[in-house]
Amino acid sequence: MPHVTVVRADNPGPMTLDGTRSYVLRGPGSSSCVVVDPGPDDERHLATLAGSGPVELVLVTHRHADHTAGSVRLRALTGAPVRAADPEHCHGGEPLRGGEAIDAAGLRVDALATPGHTADSVSFVATAPGRSGPSEAVVLTGDTVLGQGTTVIAEPDGSLRDYLASLDLLGRVADGRVGLPGHGPAIDDLGVAVRAYRAHRLERLAQVREALAALRHAPDDPSAADAVVAHVYADVDPSVRRAARQSVVAQLAYLADEPA
């Protein structure tokens, strides 16, 4: 399977947990490597990534600054092209396409479009050539599946409908494979985590439906989001209340689109 080195940024917080994880991947016998998510614009962090090289390619899971802010500097340090789904975060490389297979650093890296957390979210399946068993690949999930807790359906372009579809897509490649998230520890069996994530989302959606009925709000009522957050997420720490509200907005949009 790919050799993986984890380089954790020193940016802990309520949304980043113990810090953003950048990953250095290389196939058996490869002298070069692929970096997934440069992380924040922190010189010490980026110097560590550059020192793991030579870096052949930099891949980005999604646009949030704790994953992308170091991209320009890492390209300057290594000369490696940076590729992301969003052209704004590409530097010297072409935008990623869902379903694309990339050969780099002795690996095959399949890019999976997994929108939901953000519209540009991408996951990667990294496999050594000629190997396809569940234990011989790793899946890098960015913020689509975390190593601890649950992710946010982020404004302005997060979508619960897209997110559930992305979990279904990940579920088809995840069983028995190690998941490498953007935050939190590695996931021993990503398939188990994906199923738990899906069940949690549907449970929260049911709670939001019940809250709307109790509060006598329609999903598209302008005051529904704040009322539902207070009703369903009353036990959530204030430091992540804004994130909870973003997910509620996405849930309400999902419910508003349901057939009557």
Side-chain angles (χ1 to χ4, degrees):
M1 65 183 296
H3 176 76
V4 180
T5 301
V6 184
V7 182
R8 180 166 52 85
D10 186 18
N11 63 337
M15 301 303 295
T16 56
L17 303 181
D18 59 351
T20 302
R21 280 164 161 73
S22 300
Y23 292 96
V24 179
L25 310 177
R26 51 171 41 94
S30 175
S31 60
S32 63
C33 65
V34 173
V35 170
V36 177
D37 282 345
D41 190 9
D42 178 280
E43 191 68 21
R44 185 174 180 179
H45 178 75
L46 297 171
T48 300
L49 292 175
S52 302
V55 179
E56 182 176 338
L57 176 65
V58 179
L59 299 173
V60 170
T61 61
H62 67 292
R63 67 169 188 272
H64 284 154
D66 61 304
H67 296 257
T68 61
S71 296
V72 172
R73 179 59 177 157
L74 187 59
R75 173 159 169 75
L77 289 171
T78 66
V82 180
R83 300 189 63 194
D86 185 344
E88 182 179 344
H89 296 288
C90 294
H91 308 286
E94 294 295 316
L96 292 166
R97 305 182 307 276
E100 177 180 4
I102 302 163
D103 292 318
L107 296 171
R108 172 182 166 130
V109 181
D110 291 287
L112 306 179
T114 50
H117 171 63
T118 61
D120 68 324
S121 288
V122 180
S123 299
F124 301 104
V125 181
T127 314
R131 304 182 186 186
S132 59
S135 64
E136 294 174 333
V138 292
V139 185
L140 298 102
T141 59
D143 285 4
T144 298
V145 179
L146 304 177
Q148 177 184 330
T150 56
T151 196
V152 176
I153 309 300
E155 294 179 315
D157 59 357
S159 163
L160 179 57
R161 194 172 304 281
D162 286 348
Y163 186 71
L164 292 173
S166 292
L167 290 179
D168 290 342
L169 175 60
L170 280 175
R172 292 196 284 274
V173 302
D175 278 338
R177 287 178 168 165
V178 172
L180 301 178
H183 307 278
I187 303 163
D188 290 337
D189 187 332
L190 183 60
V192 173
V194 166
R195 288 188 286 276
Y197 260 51
R198 201 177 200 290
H200 174 77
R201 284 293 168 191
L202 295 179
E203 180 183 352
R204 281 298 197 193
L205 194 61
Q207 291 174 338
V208 170
R209 280 196 185 94
E210 291 169 4
L212 288 171
L215 297 165
R216 298 184 179 180
H217 280 299
D220 55 358
D221 188 322
S223 62
D226 290 326
V228 169
V229 169
H231 191 89
V232 175
Y233 291 88
D235 59 342
V236 168
D237 190 280
S239 65
V240 294
R241 187 68 61 86
R242 180 175 174 274
R245 189 183 189 281
Q246 291 185 67
S247 287
V248 166
V249 168
Q251 290 163 328
L252 293 174
Y254 180 94
L255 294 173
D257 285 343
E258 282 189 323

